[in-house]
Amino acid sequence: MSSLCKDRPPVARTRTEAASALVPVPLRLFVPVLVSVLVPVLVMLVLGLWGLDRGGMWRDEAVTFEVAHRSVPQIWRLLHGVDAVHGLYYLVMHTVLSGWAVFARPGEVVLRLPSVLGAAATAGLVAALGVRLCRPRVGLWAGLLYAVTPLAGHYAQEGRSYALVSAGVAASTLLLVRAVRGGGWWRYGVVAGVTCVLHEFAVLALLAHACALALARVRGRVWRAWGCAVGGVALVLLPVVVVSQGQAAQVAWLGVPDLRAAGRLLEGFAGAPGLLLVPCLVLAGVGVRGGPRGELSLGRVALPLVAVPPVVLLTVSQVRPFYDERYVLYALAGMPLLVASGADRVAGAMRRLRAGGRTAPARAPLLGVLAIGLVLVSRLPVLEADRDADRRPDNLAAVSRVAGRVTRPGDPLLFLPAFGRRAALTYPEEFRRTRDVALSVPAPVDGSLYGREVGADELRRRLGRLDRVWVVAQTYALSPGWSSRSPVERLKRAVMDEEFEPRAEFVRKGSTLRLYVRRPWFQAGSEGPGRVRPSASAARRESSGTGARPSPGRSPVSRPVPPRPGSS
């Protein structure tokens, strides 16, 4: 096992040696290996559970939470229209939340718990790869480096599939190493298939595995066995790909990534921004080393894993944007393996220079752990800040709490745009007293994420009968330059700007709750709102600018009631 780290020349393997490759570790190394794997798992668990209850879900987590509470037939219907790429994850979370509901009402902690467990499993699998491909101390260092990387900690606390996908890729990589050394291939195919169905971009990990096999120059029989396994994965994944291609508009918001995006990803993988990135990259470069022909050494496995998926996705996204760092989070596993291997190689060289080739002292693994502990201390401010709900794009709980506090029974409610309804779907108890003006068919019944709204003509009639309405808006949708392709969304904005005036506003992270009251010179109650002639004094005030209505999207600054408590 450790011969791969010492760069020994290739030697012929006897049948006994080939059979011994099936044994994960020699018995004399059982305790060091156990410690090397379990310690990173425990560290990742502690870091993942720390601050898990942030006090609110953001938009993507809200979708997971709401969809997972639907029945299986409702989820199946939804996947035919949107989010087919997350179908398996939604079914997993449906099982988790339904099972937890037997004991208590599941909340955001339960929603994120599978991701914490997935991240902990990934840390242990990274350690196991280091042990299998090099030695126990390299595995220990690699697993701990993964656990203390802020990027891994961030997605360990996300109610989405990315931490579980990372665990699946790490497990399939470990099974690939085992299969090449004489183990069965069916386990590799099963785990790889499930992982790719969990998120189809995990298929790029199979391309990284192919590069690893090419670097190792494995024999034809290995290629054939790997090809059969990948063929099975392709057959399972094909229906998901076909359906998700018809839903490509869901990622239309993605832009073409530039060099800055690649730089941010590199810093995230290394967990070391700025000048600290240089020593990490140097150690990673030192950790790239070969081995005997036909053997998957650490460098041959880790380098393609960390490089191939991001490079391919970044390149493809220059033509058709698909890139987001979370889609290649699983590639992070390769970086700590390379850094740990490089550190081990540097430590070995220094020892030989000082001691003339004597055996490494027993304190070397402990010194490495202490060094990683210092790295963790330096990253604690980043990890602590990441546990603040305001570090996410929005906080639906914050605006929902305000709505529950300031709305009255029967108050009409309008969402701008329609997907702002996710706040009410995620925290329905805060909106139970209100009535949704635009909703026609609820989301679970409609088989959509946010429900079906009435047409523009019907919505105009409904709004025409109102004297006041609360609007839950994405903050950007209230800006003067905002527009939408949807005629219903354009109507919402036009009616609010022309026929109503804002009286109160509560701004929370990413969302705005605003009370609109009908202008005095607009009548309510007819089929369509009609303008009445203002009095002469009102006309003079309007012409002089005193009574002019606010410009579209403008937030009133001075208004007597109510104040804006705690706007952020």
Side-chain angles (χ1 to χ4, degrees), residues 477-500:
L478 298 175
S479 61
W482 182 82
S483 183
S484 173
R485 295 181 180 178
S486 168
V488 175
E489 302 297 353
R490 292 197 301 270
L491 175 69
K492 293 177 187 177
R493 177 65 185 270
V495 171
M496 290 301 107
D497 288 343
E498 296 172 5
E499 303 177 16
F500 290 80

Side-chain angles (χ1 to χ4, degrees), residues 38-50 52 113 115-121 123 147 156-157 387:
L38 286 183
V39 170
V41 171
L42 294 176
V43 171
M44 187 74 257
L45 271 177
V46 171
L47 293 177
L49 294 173
W50 170 36
L52 192 60
L113 196 56
S115 293
V116 175
L117 298 176
Q157 297 196 329
R387 277 131 183 90

